[in-house]
Every structure is written in C-alpha cells, then in structure tokens.
Coordinates of all heavy atoms in Angstrom, one line a residue:
M112 N 0.9 -1.2 0.0 CA 0.0 0.0 0.0 C 0.9 1.2 0.0 O 1.8 1.4 0.9 CB -0.9 0.0 1.3 CG -2.0 1.0 1.2 SD -3.0 0.8 2.7 CE -3.2 2.5 3.1
P113 N 0.7 2.1 -1.0 CA 1.6 3.3 -1.0 C 1.3 4.2 0.1 O 0.1 4.3 0.6 CB 1.2 3.9 -2.4 CG -0.1 3.4 -2.7 CD -0.3 2.1 -2.0
S114 N 2.3 4.9 0.5 CA 2.1 5.9 1.6 C 1.2 7.0 1.0 O 1.4 7.6 0.0 CB 3.4 6.5 2.0 OG 3.3 7.9 2.3
S115 N 0.1 7.3 1.8 CA -0.8 8.4 1.3 C -0.1 9.7 1.3 O -0.5 10.6 0.5 CB -2.1 8.4 2.1 OG -1.8 8.7 3.5
D116 N 0.8 9.9 2.2 CA 1.5 11.2 2.3 C 2.2 11.5 1.0 O 2.2 12.5 0.4 CB 2.5 11.2 3.4 CG 1.9 11.4 4.8 OD1 0.7 11.0 4.9 OD2 2.5 11.8 5.7
E117 N 2.9 10.4 0.5 CA 3.7 10.6 -0.7 C 2.8 10.8 -1.9 O 3.1 11.7 -2.7 CB 4.5 9.3 -0.9 CG 5.7 9.5 -1.9 CD 6.5 8.2 -2.0 OE1 6.6 7.5 -1.0 OE2 7.0 8.0 -3.1
T118 N 1.7 10.1 -2.0 CA 0.8 10.2 -3.1 C 0.2 11.7 -3.1 O 0.2 12.3 -4.1 CB -0.4 9.2 -3.0 OG1 0.2 8.0 -2.8 CG2 -1.2 9.3 -4.2
E119 N -0.2 12.1 -1.9 CA -0.8 13.4 -1.8 C 0.2 14.5 -2.2 O -0.1 15.5 -2.9 CB -1.3 13.6 -0.4 CG -2.2 14.8 -0.3 CD -3.6 14.6 -1.0 OE1 -3.9 13.5 -1.4 OE2 -4.3 15.6 -1.1
T120 N 1.5 14.3 -1.7 CA 2.5 15.3 -2.0 C 2.8 15.4 -3.5 O 2.9 16.5 -4.1 CB 3.8 15.0 -1.3 OG1 3.5 14.9 0.1 CG2 4.8 16.0 -1.4
Q121 N 2.8 14.2 -4.2 CA 3.1 14.2 -5.6 C 2.0 14.8 -6.4 O 2.2 15.6 -7.3 CB 3.4 12.8 -6.1 CG 4.7 12.2 -5.6 CD 4.8 10.7 -5.8 OE1 3.8 10.0 -6.1 NE2 6.0 10.2 -5.6
K122 N 0.8 14.5 -6.0 CA -0.4 15.0 -6.7 C -0.5 16.5 -6.6 O -0.9 17.2 -7.5 CB -1.6 14.4 -6.0 CG -2.9 14.5 -6.8 CD -4.0 13.6 -6.3 CE -4.5 14.0 -4.9 NZ -5.4 13.1 -4.3
L123 N 0.0 17.1 -5.5 CA -0.1 18.5 -5.3 C 1.2 19.3 -5.5 O 1.3 20.4 -5.1 CB -0.5 18.8 -3.8 CG -1.9 18.3 -3.4 CD1 -2.2 18.5 -2.0 CD2 -3.0 19.1 -4.2
A124 N 2.1 18.6 -6.2 CA 3.4 19.3 -6.5 C 3.2 20.7 -7.1 O 2.5 20.8 -8.1 CB 4.3 18.5 -7.4
I125 N 3.8 21.7 -6.5 CA 3.6 23.1 -7.0 C 5.1 23.6 -7.2 O 5.9 23.6 -6.2 CB 2.9 24.0 -6.0 CG1 1.4 23.5 -5.8 CG2 2.9 25.4 -6.4 CD1 0.7 24.1 -4.7
Y126 N 5.3 24.1 -8.4 CA 6.7 24.6 -8.6 C 6.7 26.1 -8.4 O 5.7 26.8 -8.4 CB 7.1 24.2 -10.1 CG 7.3 22.8 -10.2 CD1 6.3 21.9 -10.4 CD2 8.6 22.3 -10.1 CE1 6.5 20.5 -10.5 CE2 8.8 20.9 -10.2 CZ 7.8 20.0 -10.4 OH 8.0 18.7 -10.4
F127 N 7.9 26.6 -8.3 CA 8.1 28.0 -7.9 C 7.4 28.9 -8.9 O 6.6 29.8 -8.5 CB 9.6 28.3 -8.0 CG 10.0 29.7 -7.6 CD1 10.0 30.1 -6.2 CD2 10.2 30.7 -8.5 CE1 10.3 31.4 -5.9 CE2 10.5 32.0 -8.2 CZ 10.5 32.4 -6.8
D128 N 7.6 28.7 -10.2 CA 6.9 29.7 -11.1 C 5.4 29.5 -11.1 O 4.7 30.5 -11.4 CB 7.5 29.5 -12.6 CG 7.4 28.1 -13.1 OD1 7.1 27.1 -12.2 OD2 7.5 27.8 -14.3
E129 N 4.9 28.4 -10.8 CA 3.5 28.2 -10.7 C 2.9 29.0 -9.5 O 1.9 29.6 -9.6 CB 3.1 26.7 -10.5 CG 3.4 25.9 -11.7 CD 3.0 24.4 -11.5 OE1 3.3 23.9 -10.5 OE2 2.4 23.9 -12.5
A130 N 3.7 28.9 -8.4 CA 3.2 29.6 -7.2 C 3.3 31.1 -7.4 O 2.3 31.8 -7.0 CB 4.1 29.3 -6.0
V131 N 4.3 31.6 -8.1 CA 4.4 33.0 -8.5 C 3.2 33.4 -9.3 O 2.5 34.4 -9.1 CB 5.7 33.3 -9.2 CG1 5.7 34.7 -9.7 CG2 6.9 33.1 -8.2
R132 N 2.9 32.6 -10.3 CA 1.7 32.9 -11.2 C 0.4 32.9 -10.4 O -0.4 33.8 -10.6 CB 1.7 31.8 -12.2 CG 0.8 32.1 -13.4 CD 1.2 31.2 -14.7 NE 1.2 29.8 -14.4 CZ 0.1 29.1 -14.5 NH1 -1.0 29.6 -14.8 NH2 0.2 27.8 -14.3
F133 N 0.3 32.0 -9.5 CA -1.0 32.0 -8.7 C -1.0 33.3 -7.8 O -2.1 33.9 -7.8 CB -1.0 30.8 -7.7 CG -2.1 30.8 -6.7 CD1 -3.4 30.4 -7.1 CD2 -1.8 31.2 -5.4 CE1 -4.4 30.4 -6.2 CE2 -2.9 31.2 -4.5 CZ -4.1 30.8 -4.9
F134 N 0.0 33.6 -7.1 CA 0.0 34.7 -6.2 C -0.2 36.0 -7.0 O -0.9 37.0 -6.5 CB 1.2 34.7 -5.3 CG 1.1 33.7 -4.2 CD1 2.0 32.7 -4.1 CD2 0.1 33.8 -3.2 CE1 1.9 31.7 -3.1 CE2 0.0 32.9 -2.2 CZ 0.9 31.8 -2.2
K135 N 0.5 36.1 -8.1 CA 0.4 37.4 -8.9 C -1.0 37.6 -9.4 O -1.6 38.7 -9.4 CB 1.3 37.3 -10.1 CG 2.7 37.8 -9.7 CD 3.6 38.0 -11.0 CE 4.9 38.6 -10.6 NZ 5.9 38.4 -11.6
S136 N -1.7 36.6 -10.0 CA -2.9 36.8 -10.6 C -4.1 36.5 -9.8 O -5.2 37.0 -10.0 CB -3.0 36.0 -11.9 OG -3.1 34.6 -11.6
Q137 N -3.9 35.8 -8.7 CA -5.1 35.3 -8.0 C -5.2 35.8 -6.5 O -6.2 36.0 -6.0 CB -5.1 33.8 -8.0 CG -6.4 33.1 -7.6 CD -7.5 33.4 -8.6 OE1 -7.2 33.9 -9.7 NE2 -8.7 33.1 -8.2
S138 N -4.0 35.9 -5.9 CA -4.0 36.1 -4.5 C -2.8 36.9 -4.1 O -2.0 36.4 -3.3 CB -4.1 34.7 -3.8 OG -4.0 34.9 -2.4
S139 N -2.7 38.1 -4.6 CA -1.5 38.9 -4.2 C -1.5 39.1 -2.7 O -2.4 39.4 -2.1 CB -1.6 40.3 -4.9 OG -0.6 41.1 -4.4
P140 N -0.3 38.7 -2.1 CA -0.3 38.8 -0.6 C -0.5 40.1 0.0 O -1.0 40.3 1.1 CB 1.1 38.3 -0.3 CG 1.6 37.6 -1.5 CD 0.9 38.2 -2.7
G141 N -0.1 41.2 -0.8 CA -0.3 42.5 -0.3 C 0.5 42.8 1.0 O 1.6 42.2 1.1
E142 N -0.1 43.6 1.9 CA 0.6 43.9 3.1 C 0.6 42.8 4.1 O -0.4 42.1 4.3 CB -0.1 45.1 3.8 CG 0.2 46.4 3.1 CD -0.4 47.6 4.0 OE1 -1.1 47.3 5.0 OE2 -0.2 48.7 3.6
C143 N 1.7 42.6 4.8 CA 1.7 41.7 6.0 C 0.7 42.2 7.0 O 0.8 43.4 7.4 CB 3.1 41.6 6.5 SG 3.2 40.7 8.1
P144 N -0.2 41.4 7.5 CA -1.2 41.9 8.5 C -0.5 42.3 9.8 O -1.1 42.9 10.6 CB -2.1 40.7 8.7 CG -1.4 39.5 8.2 CD -0.4 40.0 7.1
M145 N 0.7 41.8 10.0 CA 1.4 42.1 11.3 C 2.2 43.4 11.2 O 2.1 44.3 12.1 CB 2.3 40.9 11.7 CG 1.5 39.6 11.9 SD 0.3 39.8 13.3 CE -1.1 39.0 12.6
C146 N 3.0 43.5 10.2 CA 4.0 44.6 10.2 C 3.8 45.5 9.0 O 4.6 46.5 8.9 CB 5.4 44.0 10.2 SG 5.9 43.3 8.7
K147 N 2.9 45.2 8.1 CA 2.5 46.1 7.0 C 3.6 46.1 5.9 O 3.6 46.9 5.0 CB 2.2 47.5 7.4 CG 1.2 47.6 8.5 CD -0.1 47.1 8.0 CE -1.2 47.2 9.2 NZ -2.3 46.3 9.0
S148 N 4.6 45.2 6.0 CA 5.6 45.1 5.0 C 4.9 44.4 3.7 O 3.9 43.8 3.9 CB 6.7 44.2 5.4 OG 7.2 43.4 4.4
V149 N 5.5 44.6 2.6 CA 4.9 44.0 1.4 C 6.0 43.0 0.8 O 5.9 42.8 -0.4 CB 4.4 45.0 0.3 CG1 3.2 45.7 0.8 CG2 5.6 46.0 0.0
S150 N 6.9 42.6 1.6 CA 7.9 41.7 1.1 C 7.7 40.3 1.6 O 7.8 40.0 2.8 CB 9.3 42.2 1.6 OG 10.3 41.4 1.2
W151 N 7.4 39.4 0.7 CA 7.1 38.0 1.0 C 8.1 37.1 0.3 O 8.5 37.4 -0.8 CB 5.7 37.6 0.6 CG 4.6 38.4 1.3 CD1 4.0 39.6 0.8 CD2 3.9 38.0 2.5 NE1 3.1 40.0 1.7 CE2 3.0 39.1 2.7 CE3 4.1 37.0 3.4 CZ2 2.1 39.0 3.9 CZ3 3.2 37.0 4.5 CH2 2.3 38.0 4.7
A152 N 8.3 35.9 0.9 CA 9.2 34.9 0.3 C 8.4 33.6 0.3 O 7.7 33.2 1.2 CB 10.5 34.8 1.1
L153 N 8.7 32.8 -0.8 CA 8.2 31.5 -0.9 C 9.2 30.6 -0.2 O 10.3 31.0 0.1 CB 8.1 31.1 -2.4 CG 6.9 31.7 -3.1 CD1 7.1 31.7 -4.6 CD2 5.6 30.9 -2.8
P154 N 8.7 29.3 0.1 CA 9.7 28.4 0.8 C 10.9 28.3 -0.1 O 10.8 28.3 -1.3 CB 8.9 27.1 0.9 CG 7.6 27.3 0.4 CD 7.4 28.7 -0.1
S155 N 12.1 28.1 0.5 CA 13.3 28.0 -0.3 C 13.2 26.9 -1.3 O 12.7 25.8 -1.0 CB 14.5 27.8 0.5 OG 14.3 26.7 1.3
E156 N 13.6 27.1 -2.5 CA 13.4 26.2 -3.6 C 14.7 25.5 -3.9 O 15.8 26.0 -3.8 CB 12.9 26.8 -4.9 CG 13.8 27.9 -5.3 CD 13.5 28.4 -6.7 OE1 12.9 27.7 -7.5 OE2 13.8 29.5 -7.1
I157 N 14.6 24.2 -4.3 CA 15.7 23.5 -4.9 C 15.4 23.5 -6.4 O 14.3 23.1 -6.8 CB 15.7 22.0 -4.4 CG1 15.9 22.1 -2.9 CG2 16.8 21.3 -5.0 CD1 15.6 20.8 -2.2
E158 N 16.3 23.9 -7.2 CA 16.1 24.1 -8.6 C 15.4 22.9 -9.2 O 16.0 21.7 -9.1 CB 17.4 24.4 -9.3 CG 17.1 24.8 -10.7 CD 17.9 26.1 -11.1 OE1 18.6 26.7 -10.2 OE2 17.7 26.6 -12.2
G159 N 14.3 23.0 -9.9 CA 13.7 21.9 -10.6 C 12.8 21.1 -9.7 O 12.2 20.1 -10.2
S160 N 12.8 21.3 -8.4 CA 11.9 20.5 -7.5 C 10.7 21.3 -7.1 O 10.8 22.6 -7.1 CB 12.7 20.1 -6.3 OG 13.8 19.3 -6.6
P161 N 9.7 20.6 -6.8 CA 8.5 21.4 -6.3 C 8.8 22.1 -5.0 O 9.7 21.7 -4.2 CB 7.4 20.3 -6.0 CG 8.0 19.0 -6.7 CD 9.4 19.2 -6.8
L162 N 8.0 23.1 -4.7 CA 8.2 23.8 -3.4 C 7.8 22.8 -2.3 O 7.0 22.0 -2.4 CB 7.3 25.0 -3.4 CG 7.6 26.1 -4.4 CD1 6.5 27.1 -4.4 CD2 8.9 26.7 -4.1
S163 N 8.4 23.0 -1.1 CA 8.1 22.2 0.0 C 6.7 22.6 0.6 O 6.5 23.8 0.8 CB 9.2 22.2 1.1 OG 9.5 23.5 1.4
L164 N 5.9 21.6 0.8 CA 4.6 21.9 1.4 C 4.6 21.4 2.8 O 5.3 20.5 3.2 CB 3.5 21.1 0.6 CG 3.4 21.5 -0.9 CD1 2.4 20.5 -1.6 CD2 3.0 22.9 -1.1
S165 N 3.8 22.0 3.6 CA 3.7 21.7 5.1 C 2.5 20.9 5.3 O 1.4 21.1 4.8 CB 3.7 22.9 5.9 OG 4.6 23.9 5.5
D166 N 2.6 19.9 6.2 CA 1.4 19.1 6.6 C 0.7 20.0 7.7 O 1.3 20.4 8.7 CB 1.9 17.8 7.3 CG 0.7 16.9 7.6 OD1 -0.4 17.4 7.8 OD2 1.0 15.7 7.6
S167 N -0.5 20.3 7.4 CA -1.3 21.2 8.3 C -1.7 20.5 9.6 O -2.1 21.1 10.5 CB -2.5 21.7 7.6 OG -3.4 20.6 7.4
G168 N -1.6 19.2 9.6 CA -2.1 18.4 10.7 C -3.5 18.0 10.6 O -4.0 17.2 11.4
M169 N -4.2 18.6 9.6 CA -5.6 18.2 9.4 C -5.6 17.1 8.4 O -4.7 16.8 7.7 CB -6.4 19.4 8.8 CG -6.5 20.6 9.8 SD -7.6 21.9 9.2 CE -6.6 22.6 7.9
R170 N -6.8 16.4 8.3 CA -6.9 15.3 7.4 C -8.2 15.6 6.5 O -9.1 16.2 7.0 CB -7.1 13.9 8.1 CG -6.2 13.7 9.2 CD -4.8 13.3 8.8 NE -4.7 12.1 8.0 CZ -3.5 11.6 7.6 NH1 -2.4 12.3 7.8 NH2 -3.5 10.5 6.9
T171 N -8.1 15.1 5.2 CA -9.3 15.2 4.4 C -10.2 14.1 4.7 O -9.9 13.2 5.5 CB -8.9 15.1 2.9 OG1 -8.3 13.8 2.7 CG2 -7.9 16.2 2.5
L172 N -11.4 14.1 4.1 CA -12.4 13.1 4.4 C -11.9 11.7 4.1 O -12.3 10.7 4.7 CB -13.7 13.4 3.6 CG -14.5 14.6 4.0 CD1 -15.7 14.8 3.1 CD2 -15.0 14.4 5.5
D173 N -11.0 11.6 3.0 CA -10.5 10.3 2.7 C -9.2 10.0 3.4 O -8.4 9.2 3.0 CB -10.4 10.1 1.2 CG -9.5 11.1 0.5 OD1 -8.9 12.0 1.3 OD2 -9.3 11.0 -0.7
D174 N -8.9 10.8 4.5 CA -7.8 10.6 5.4 C -6.5 10.9 4.8 O -5.5 10.3 5.2 CB -7.9 9.2 6.0 CG -7.1 9.1 7.3 OD1 -7.2 10.1 8.0 OD2 -6.5 8.1 7.6
S175 N -6.4 11.7 3.8 CA -5.1 12.2 3.3 C -4.7 13.5 4.1 O -5.6 14.2 4.6 CB -5.2 12.6 1.8 OG -5.6 11.5 1.0
P176 N -3.4 13.7 4.2 CA -3.0 14.9 4.9 C -3.4 16.2 4.1 O -3.4 16.2 2.9 CB -1.5 14.8 5.0 CG -1.1 13.8 3.9 CD -2.3 12.9 3.7
V177 N -3.9 17.2 4.8 CA -4.1 18.5 4.2 C -2.8 19.2 4.1 O -2.2 19.5 5.2 CB -5.2 19.3 4.9 CG1 -5.3 20.7 4.4 CG2 -6.6 18.5 4.9
L178 N -2.4 19.5 2.9 CA -1.1 20.2 2.8 C -1.2 21.7 2.5 O -2.2 22.1 1.9 CB -0.3 19.5 1.6 CG 0.0 18.0 1.8 CD1 0.7 17.5 0.6 CD2 0.9 17.8 3.1
E179 N -0.3 22.4 3.0 CA -0.3 23.9 2.8 C 1.0 24.4 2.2 O 2.0 23.8 2.4 CB -0.4 24.5 4.2 CG -1.5 24.2 5.0 CD -1.4 24.7 6.5 OE1 -0.3 24.8 7.0 OE2 -2.5 25.0 7.1
L180 N 0.8 25.4 1.4 CA 2.0 26.2 0.9 C 2.0 27.4 1.8 O 1.1 28.2 1.9 CB 1.8 26.5 -0.6 CG 2.9 27.4 -1.1 CD1 4.3 26.6 -1.1 CD2 2.6 27.9 -2.5
K181 N 3.2 27.6 2.4 CA 3.3 28.8 3.3 C 4.2 29.8 2.7 O 5.3 29.4 2.1 CB 3.9 28.3 4.6 CG 2.9 27.6 5.5 CD 3.5 27.2 6.8 CE 2.4 26.5 7.7 NZ 2.9 25.7 8.7
I182 N 3.8 31.0 2.8 CA 4.8 32.1 2.4 C 5.1 32.9 3.7 O 4.3 32.9 4.6 CB 4.2 33.0 1.3 CG1 2.9 33.7 1.7 CG2 4.0 32.2 0.0 CD1 2.3 34.7 0.7
I183 N 6.2 33.5 3.7 CA 6.7 34.1 4.9 C 7.1 35.6 4.7 O 7.6 35.9 3.7 CB 7.9 33.3 5.5 CG1 8.4 33.9 6.8 CG2 9.1 33.3 4.5 CD1 9.4 33.0 7.5
C184 N 6.7 36.4 5.6 CA 7.0 37.8 5.6 C 8.5 38.0 5.8 O 9.0 37.4 6.8 CB 6.2 38.6 6.7 SG 6.7 40.3 6.8
N185 N 9.1 38.7 4.9 CA 10.6 38.8 5.0 C 11.0 39.7 6.2 O 12.2 39.8 6.6 CB 11.2 39.4 3.7 CG 11.3 38.4 2.7 OD1 11.7 37.2 3.0 ND2 11.1 38.7 1.4
V186 N 10.0 40.5 6.8 CA 10.4 41.4 7.8 C 10.1 40.9 9.2 O 11.0 40.9 10.1 CB 9.6 42.8 7.6 CG1 9.9 43.7 8.8 CG2 10.0 43.4 6.3
C187 N 8.9 40.3 9.4 CA 8.6 39.9 10.8 C 8.4 38.3 10.9 O 8.3 37.8 12.0 CB 7.4 40.6 11.3 SG 5.8 39.9 10.6
G188 N 8.5 37.7 9.8 CA 8.4 36.2 9.8 C 7.0 35.6 9.9 O 6.8 34.4 10.1
F189 N 6.0 36.5 9.8 CA 4.6 36.0 9.8 C 4.4 35.0 8.7 O 4.8 35.2 7.6 CB 3.6 37.2 9.6 CG 2.2 36.8 9.6 CD1 1.5 36.4 10.7 CD2 1.5 36.8 8.4 CE1 0.2 36.1 10.7 CE2 0.2 36.5 8.3 CZ -0.5 36.1 9.4
L190 N 3.8 33.9 9.0 CA 3.5 32.9 8.0 C 2.1 32.9 7.5 O 1.2 33.0 8.3 CB 3.8 31.5 8.6 CG 5.2 31.1 8.8 CD1 5.3 29.9 9.8 CD2 5.9 30.8 7.5
R191 N 1.9 32.9 6.3 CA 0.6 32.8 5.7 C 0.5 31.5 4.9 O 1.4 31.2 4.1 CB 0.4 34.0 4.7 CG -0.9 34.1 4.0 CD -1.0 35.3 3.2 NE -1.7 35.1 2.0 CZ -2.3 36.0 1.2 NH1 -2.1 37.3 1.5 NH2 -2.9 35.7 0.1
A192 N -0.5 30.8 5.2 CA -0.7 29.4 4.6 C -1.9 29.4 3.7 O -2.9 29.9 4.0 CB -0.8 28.4 5.7
H193 N -1.6 28.7 2.5 CA -2.7 28.5 1.6 C -2.8 27.0 1.4 O -1.8 26.3 1.3 CB -2.4 29.1 0.2 CG -2.6 30.5 0.2 ND1 -3.6 31.1 -0.5 CD2 -1.8 31.5 0.7 CE1 -3.5 32.5 -0.3 NE2 -2.4 32.7 0.4
R194 N -4.0 26.5 1.4 CA -4.2 25.0 1.2 C -3.7 24.7 -0.3 O -4.2 25.3 -1.2 CB -5.7 24.7 1.3 CG -5.9 23.2 1.4 CD -7.2 22.9 2.0 NE -7.5 21.4 1.8 CZ -8.6 20.8 2.2 NH1 -9.5 21.5 2.9 NH2 -8.8 19.6 2.0
A195 N -2.8 23.8 -0.3 CA -2.1 23.5 -1.6 C -3.1 23.0 -2.7 O -3.0 23.3 -3.9 CB -1.1 22.4 -1.4
S196 N -4.2 22.3 -2.3 CA -5.1 21.8 -3.3 C -5.8 22.9 -4.0 O -6.1 22.8 -5.2 CB -6.1 20.8 -2.6 OG -6.8 21.4 -1.6
F197 N -6.0 24.0 -3.3 CA -6.7 25.1 -4.0 C -5.8 25.8 -5.0 O -6.3 26.1 -6.1 CB -7.1 26.2 -2.9 CG -8.3 25.8 -2.2 CD1 -8.3 24.8 -1.3 CD2 -9.5 26.6 -2.3 CE1 -9.5 24.4 -0.6 CE2 -10.7 26.2 -1.6 CZ -10.6 25.2 -0.7
I198 N -4.5 25.9 -4.7 CA -3.6 26.5 -5.7 C -3.4 25.5 -6.9 O -3.5 26.0 -8.0 CB -2.2 26.7 -5.0 CG1 -2.4 27.6 -3.8 CG2 -1.2 27.2 -6.0 CD1 -1.1 27.9 -3.0
R199 N -3.3 24.2 -6.6 CA -3.1 23.2 -7.6 C -4.3 23.2 -8.6 O -4.2 23.2 -9.8 CB -2.9 21.9 -7.0 CG -2.6 20.7 -7.9 CD -1.2 20.9 -8.6 NE -1.3 21.5 -9.9 CZ -0.3 22.0 -10.6 NH1 0.9 22.0 -10.1 NH2 -0.5 22.5 -11.8
E200 N -5.5 23.3 -8.0 CA -6.7 23.4 -8.8 C -6.8 24.6 -9.7 O -7.1 24.5 -10.9 CB -7.9 23.4 -7.8 CG -9.2 22.9 -8.4 CD -10.3 22.8 -7.4 OE1 -10.1 22.0 -6.4 OE2 -11.3 23.5 -7.5
W201 N -6.4 25.7 -9.1 CA -6.4 27.0 -9.9 C -5.4 26.8 -11.1 O -5.7 27.2 -12.2 CB -6.1 28.2 -9.1 CG -6.2 29.4 -9.8 CD1 -7.3 30.2 -10.1 CD2 -5.1 30.1 -10.5 NE1 -6.9 31.3 -10.9 CE2 -5.6 31.2 -11.2 CE3 -3.7 29.8 -10.7 CZ2 -4.8 32.1 -11.9 CZ3 -2.9 30.6 -11.4 CH2 -3.5 31.8 -12.0
L202 N -4.2 26.3 -10.8 CA -3.2 26.2 -11.8 C -3.7 25.2 -12.9 O -3.4 25.5 -14.1 CB -1.9 25.6 -11.2 CG -1.2 26.6 -10.2 CD1 -0.1 25.9 -9.4 CD2 -0.5 27.7 -11.0
D203 N -4.3 24.2 -12.5 CA -4.8 23.2 -13.6 C -5.9 23.9 -14.4 O -6.0 23.5 -15.6 CB -5.4 22.0 -12.9 CG -4.2 21.1 -12.3 OD1 -3.1 21.4 -12.6 OD2 -4.6 20.3 -11.4
K204 N -6.7 24.8 -13.9 CA -7.7 25.4 -14.7 C -7.2 26.6 -15.5 O -7.8 27.0 -16.4 CB -8.8 26.0 -13.7 CG -9.7 24.9 -13.2 CD -10.8 25.6 -12.3 CE -11.6 24.5 -11.6 NZ -12.3 25.1 -10.4
N205 N -6.0 27.1 -15.1 CA -5.4 28.2 -15.7 C -4.0 27.9 -16.1 O -3.0 28.4 -15.5 CB -5.4 29.4 -14.8 CG -6.8 29.8 -14.4 OD1 -7.5 30.5 -15.1 ND2 -7.3 29.3 -13.3
P206 N -3.8 27.1 -17.2 CA -2.5 26.6 -17.5 C -1.6 27.8 -18.0 O -2.1 28.8 -18.5 CB -2.7 25.7 -18.7 CG -4.2 25.5 -18.8 CD -4.9 26.6 -18.1
A207 N -0.3 27.6 -17.8 CA 0.7 28.6 -18.2 C 0.6 28.9 -19.6 O 0.3 28.0 -20.4 CB 2.1 28.2 -17.8
G208 N 0.8 30.1 -20.0 CA 0.7 30.5 -21.4 C -0.6 31.1 -21.8 O -0.7 31.9 -22.7
D209 N -1.7 30.6 -21.2 CA -3.0 31.2 -21.4 C -3.1 32.5 -20.7 O -2.8 32.5 -19.5 CB -4.1 30.2 -20.9 CG -4.4 29.1 -21.9 OD1 -3.5 28.9 -22.8 OD2 -5.3 28.4 -21.7
E210 N -3.5 33.5 -21.4 CA -3.8 34.7 -20.6 C -5.0 34.5 -19.8 O -6.0 34.0 -20.3 CB -4.0 35.9 -21.6 CG -2.7 36.3 -22.3 CD -1.5 36.6 -21.4 OE1 -1.8 37.3 -20.3 OE2 -0.4 36.1 -21.6
V211 N -5.0 34.9 -18.6 CA -6.2 34.7 -17.7 C -7.2 35.8 -18.1 O -6.9 37.0 -17.9 CB -5.8 34.8 -16.2 CG1 -7.0 34.6 -15.4 CG2 -4.8 33.7 -15.9
T212 N -8.3 35.4 -18.5 CA -9.3 36.4 -18.9 C -10.5 36.2 -17.9 O -10.9 35.1 -17.6 CB -9.8 36.3 -20.3 OG1 -10.1 34.9 -20.5 CG2 -8.7 36.6 -21.3
E213 N -11.0 37.3 -17.5 CA -12.2 37.3 -16.7 C -13.4 37.1 -17.5 O -13.7 37.8 -18.5 CB -12.4 38.6 -15.9 CG -11.2 38.9 -15.0 CD -11.2 37.9 -13.8 OE1 -12.2 37.5 -13.3 OE2 -10.1 37.6 -13.4
N214 N -14.2 36.1 -17.2 CA -15.5 35.8 -17.9 C -16.5 36.7 -17.2 O -16.8 36.4 -16.1 CB -15.8 34.4 -17.9 CG -14.9 33.5 -18.7 OD1 -14.5 33.9 -19.8 ND2 -14.5 32.4 -18.2
V215 N -17.1 37.6 -18.0 CA -18.1 38.5 -17.4 C -19.5 38.0 -17.8 O -19.6 37.7 -19.0 CB -17.9 39.9 -17.8 CG1 -18.9 40.8 -17.1 CG2 -16.5 40.4 -17.5
Ligands
ZN345 ZN1 5.5 41.0 8.6

C-alpha cells in the first residue's frame, strides 16, 4: 500500500513559477497583516523541484493529509498558509501560457 502522504504530495506538487503565477494573478499577498511590509518569500526552492509543502495536521475526508503552501513575511516572519489543493486546482484550470481572462 503506497504511503498516502507521498501520493498526496506528488499530486499537489507546486513549482516555484506556478506559485508566483498563482499569487500574482489570484491572491496577491499585499501587506503583511502584522508589520505592513509587502515583502514575502516562498519556501526556499531546490532548482527543478516542487516547493516544500507543510502538513497542516488536518486530514481530508479520505484521510489524506491536508497540505499547505506557506509564504513568509521577510520582515517579521509572519507565516501565511494556503491550502495546496486550492492552488493546484487553480493552476490546472489556468495553464501557463493562457492569458487569464475574466469571464463576465
Ligand atoms: Zn510582517
């Protein structure tokens, strides 16, 4: 039986440029709620590897770990977490290269 952690992590792999694309077009971090800085960092990347996701400690209904992508304020260290599955879903619906257009 494969480890569900590994399966979930592979399924939700998010690469640096994908995360940048998501945050730029979908969810700009804006000001840090703690210190009002606008300087955020993604988890340190290993070239060519997905960003590291954190186990939130929660479980989904099918008992997979709920994974988060955390970004960190460069000034005060405040951590902001996004559920990785939401980012992955948005990326899959909005593939790179397609201009994101708002359907009105
Ligand atoms: Zn801050």
